[in-house]
């Protein structure tokens, strides 16, 4: 009994380490595996070899391996002409220049996709906390992430890797 009349529960070092290990394992394993974007069947499906043949090394790293390009490295960040931004993997229309804005982050940013069916989202725990990943709705290619610090009317910032897109003026 403790001084306050309540029973004292002793936790052994082995039990504590076991509980900590189980907690860490749950976090790590929870972030692994197939996410909803990978599990979904997309209209445009190619084998890894076909994607490697179709895309540049940098495009493949971002679109298929969920990489991130260096900030300020894409010419699309400063692209201000009227037109449409399409998926570099499959040509799906993603964003209109009408919704593009300069976020100052070094990546092309948009407050909304071109239409509701253009992109999809999934949860990303790659950095240890939840983020909203955005991917092409047609091929599942990783585009970037969506944040809640964008301008009106949506308040969203679609922070997109320029290498994941091509620009079509018009």
């Amino acid at each position: 009994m403790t001084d306050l009349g309540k029973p004292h529960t002793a936790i052994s070092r082995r039990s504590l380490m076991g509980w900590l290990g189980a907690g860490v394992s749950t976090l790590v394993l929870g972030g692994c595996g197939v996410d909803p974007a990978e599990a979904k069947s997309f209209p445009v499906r190619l084998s890894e070899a076909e994607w490697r043949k179709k895309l540049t090394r940098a495009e493949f790293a971002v679109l298929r391996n969920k990489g991130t390009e260096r900030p300020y490295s894409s010419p699309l960040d400063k692209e201000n002409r009227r037109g449409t931004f399409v998926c570099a993997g499959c040509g799906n229309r993603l964003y209109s220049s009408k919704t593009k804005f300069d976020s100052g982050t070094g990546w092309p940013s948009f407050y909304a996709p071109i239409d509701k069916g253009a992109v999809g989202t999934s949860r990303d725990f790659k950095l240890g906390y939840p983020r909203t990943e955005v991917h092409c709705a047609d091929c599942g290619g990783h585009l970037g992430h969506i944040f809640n610090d964008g301008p009106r009317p949506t308040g969203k910032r679609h922070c997109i890797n320029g290498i994941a897109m091509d620009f079509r003026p018009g």
Side-chain angles (χ1 to χ4, degrees):
M1 295 289 229
T2 64
D3 295 353
L4 300 174
K6 295 181 183 172
H8 178 70
T9 304
I11 298 177
S12 71
R13 178 181 286 168
R14 181 175 287 167
S15 294
L16 178 62
M17 294 307 285
W19 280 105
L20 287 173
V24 168
S25 296
T26 300
L27 286 173
V28 169
L29 293 175
C32 296
V34 177
D35 72 7
E38 292 169 339
K40 184 180 177 197
S41 179
F42 294 99
V44 176
R45 288 179 280 179
L46 299 176
S47 69
E48 182 175 337
E50 291 170 319
W51 280 121
R52 285 188 184 278
K53 187 174 180 181
K54 179 180 178 89
L55 302 171
T56 67
R57 180 175 283 171
E59 288 170 338
F60 186 88
V62 171
L63 285 165
R64 307 318 305 171
N65 286 336
K66 300 183 180 187
T68 302
E69 68 188 359
R70 283 186 351 262
Y72 303 101
S73 65
S74 172
L76 294 185
D77 184 37
K78 298 298 182 193
E79 178 59 68
N80 293 317
R81 294 176 291 170
R82 287 182 42 194
T84 305
F85 295 84
V86 301
C87 177
C90 69
N92 179 33
R93 293 166 27 99
L94 302 170
Y95 297 96
S96 167
S97 60
K98 294 176 186 174
T99 64
K100 188 174 187 291
F101 68 98
D102 185 2
S103 65
T105 61
W107 289 280
S109 297
F110 306 85
Y111 62 79
I114 201 159
D115 62 51
K116 291 183 182 193
V119 300
T121 61
S122 59
R123 295 306 270 168
D124 171 7
F125 293 91
K126 192 175 179 180
L127 296 180
Y129 57 89
R131 296 185 299 169
T132 301
E133 178 192 354
V134 61
H135 58 266
C136 174
D138 283 1
C139 71
H142 171 76
L143 301 172
H145 293 87
I146 301 174
F147 301 97
N148 294 319
D149 59 1
R152 292 178 182 242
T154 65
K156 302 291 183 187
R157 173 173 52 99
H158 292 233
C159 187
I160 308 299
N161 289 287
I163 195 79
M165 299 184 296
D166 292 324
F167 179 71
R168 295 190 181 147

